Amino acid sequence: RQVNTLKDVMEWTTSNAFATIVGFIMDLNKVICGRKRTSQHHVSEKVQSTVDFLIKCKDIIDEVPPQQQAMRFGNKAFRDWHARVVQEAELFQKQLLGEKLENAYQEVSHYFCESFGNLQRIDYGTGHELNFVAWLCCLSKLEVFLPDDRISLVFDIFCTYLEVMRKVQTTYWLEPAGSKGVWGLDDYQFLPFYWGASQMLGQEDILPSDAIGKVAAEAGKQDNLFLACIAFVYQMKTGLFAEHSPLLNDISQVPSWTKVNGGLLKMYFNEVLCKFPVVQHFYFGSLLALTPTPPEHPIRQKAFRQRTFGEK
């Protein structure tokens, strides 16, 4: 961890780690553009083994029931579940990496183990989600996952990860990390909204104003990440949507999915990646290094323009 002051945040946004992760996130946004999750796509053996392990993590929840305690939020049984997952993850990750990449285990494993929430605070938010994407990014950089796997990284691995975290949240009631999960749009997540908006591009059947409806969300949650997130909001919250989810309500007023997708990227830059409470906990190593990118690097330039001029 090398981001210890607000000044260090600027160093992070001009680093190779930042450029690598943002490039990876934007690349995944591009490859799933206009596609339904249920559409036919390539699923490699390593992708499937990762999905299978995440399903195992979800099943372990049934073996670690919540404890009886006075407070609804922050059930302490989460720590027992997390310990089980970390223990089981060692063999899984070593098999995934293989002997040739065994030296990368410690670095890669850190991101995976930080993806499920904080043990001390028993909370979860966009910083933990970022760690999971960093894990996928590192494995892609190591060529454990190949370019042909990119669609399945979102539609299979990331979506299964979301299923795990939603079961964790409804079982152990993790607190949203920071304030509203530091801009997690549903208290916890951000990226499925961004990627889900990309899936909506090229169609006119569901407008942004339609997407926050309960009926539309239920009907489309198997196909689209954005709608699945909205369905989960309805599962977790009651009352008027505009009152319990004002950010999402505002987004629904945007006229097109192109603008929603671009606006969410801008928000992710400014309200997640550039926020000290998120990146102060982020780990840097040889795969995601805090070394500077050249000033002319396109992602460094894009981040600067978005922070300075609000460019989408």
Side-chain angles (χ1 to χ4, degrees):
R1 297 175 182 177
Q2 300 175 52
V3 178
N4 300 308
T5 66
L6 292 176
K7 184 180 178 181
D8 294 337
V9 175
M10 183 60 69
E11 185 179 354
W12 145 248
T13 61
T14 58
S15 71
N16 278 294
F18 184 89
T20 300
I21 291 175
V22 171
F24 181 71
I25 289 169
M26 293 174 65
D27 189 43
L28 295 182
N29 184 69
K30 184 177 180 180
V31 296
I32 64 168
C33 179
R35 298 183 66 106
K36 293 182 178 180
R37 185 189 172 193
T38 50
S39 65
Q40 188 173 359
H41 57 273
H42 171 73
V43 179
S44 68
E45 183 179 336
K46 289 192 174 181
V47 167
Q48 188 58 54
S49 68
T50 304
V51 170
D52 291 342
F53 181 74
L54 289 169
I55 291 172
K56 183 177 182 179
C57 294
K58 186 170 67 170
D59 291 342
I60 291 173
I61 296 172
D62 296 328
E63 301 172 19
V64 187
Q67 296 179 12
Q68 295 293 324
Q69 59 183 52
M71 294 176 60
R72 180 189 184 191
F73 281 94
N75 194 282
K76 294 177 182 178
F78 166 73
R79 293 171 177 154
D80 299 327
W81 173 81
H82 192 282
R84 284 277 306 276
V85 167
V86 169
Q87 181 182 21
E88 299 275 355
E90 181 175 354
L91 178 60
F92 156 69
Q93 290 187 93
K94 286 181 175 178
Q95 290 177 338
L96 195 65
L97 289 166
E99 290 184 8
K100 290 183 179 180
L101 297 172
E102 63 182 359
N103 291 337
Y105 167 72
Q106 290 296 336
E107 186 172 346
V108 169
S109 179
H110 179 89
Y111 296 113
F112 187 82
C113 295
E114 289 291 318
S115 298
F116 299 98
N118 183 276
L119 287 177
Q120 285 69 45
R121 298 186 302 272
I122 312 184
D123 65 11
Y124 174 87
T126 48
H128 303 103
E129 178 189 77
L130 175 62
N131 271 279
F132 189 77
V133 172
W135 182 72
L136 293 177
C137 181
C138 287
L139 292 175
S140 297
K141 195 172 182 180
L142 291 167
E143 298 185 340
V144 172
F145 299 130
L146 301 176
D148 285 348
D149 294 323
R150 290 177 299 174
I151 293 172
S152 61
L153 293 186
V154 179
F155 286 171
D156 297 283
I157 295 178
F158 187 77
C159 284
T160 307
Y161 165 72
L162 289 179
E163 291 172 10
V164 175
M165 292 318 304
R166 285 168 182 158
K167 188 168 182 179
V168 166
Q169 289 151 15
T170 55
T171 303
Y172 305 123
W173 289 92
L174 275 61
E175 293 272 11
S179 175
K180 294 290 285 183
V182 188
W183 291 81
L185 293 172
D186 61 357
D187 289 350
Y188 299 107
Q189 314 293 159
F190 196 106
L191 288 174
F193 290 97
Y194 171 57
W195 287 330
S198 178
Q199 288 182 268
M200 290 290 195
L201 296 177
Q203 60 80 40
E204 298 180 356
D205 294 333
I206 302 175
L207 301 175
S209 56
D210 302 323
I212 63 169
K214 188 173 184 178
V215 173
E218 282 296 321
K221 66 182 182 181
Q222 299 301 323
D223 281 326
N224 183 272
L225 276 74
F226 192 103
L227 295 177
C229 287
I230 298 297
F232 186 64
V233 169
Y234 279 111
Q235 180 184 336
M236 297 291 284
K237 298 183 179 183
T238 58
L240 294 176
F241 191 91
E243 292 182 359
H244 61 60
S245 302
L247 273 175
L248 291 172
N249 189 67
D250 289 347
I251 288 169
S252 74
Q253 306 306 309
V254 177
S256 72
W257 286 110
T258 300
K259 289 185 178 296
V260 170
N261 189 242
L264 286 172
L265 180 61
K266 174 189 171 185
M267 187 183 291
Y268 192 65
F269 269 118
N270 294 333
E271 305 299 344
V272 178
L273 293 180
C274 293
K275 291 299 185 184
F276 179 73
V278 173
V279 296
Q280 68 171 325
H281 301 297
F282 197 74
Y283 177 80
F284 300 96
S286 62
L287 294 169
L288 296 173
L290 201 61
T291 52
T293 53
E296 64 273 14
H297 193 288
I299 290 179
R300 178 169 174 171
Q301 289 289 316
K302 186 176 184 67
F304 173 78
R305 291 194 300 270
Q306 289 202 338
R307 289 196 309 271
T308 307
F309 305 112
E311 179 185 294
K312 295 180 180 180

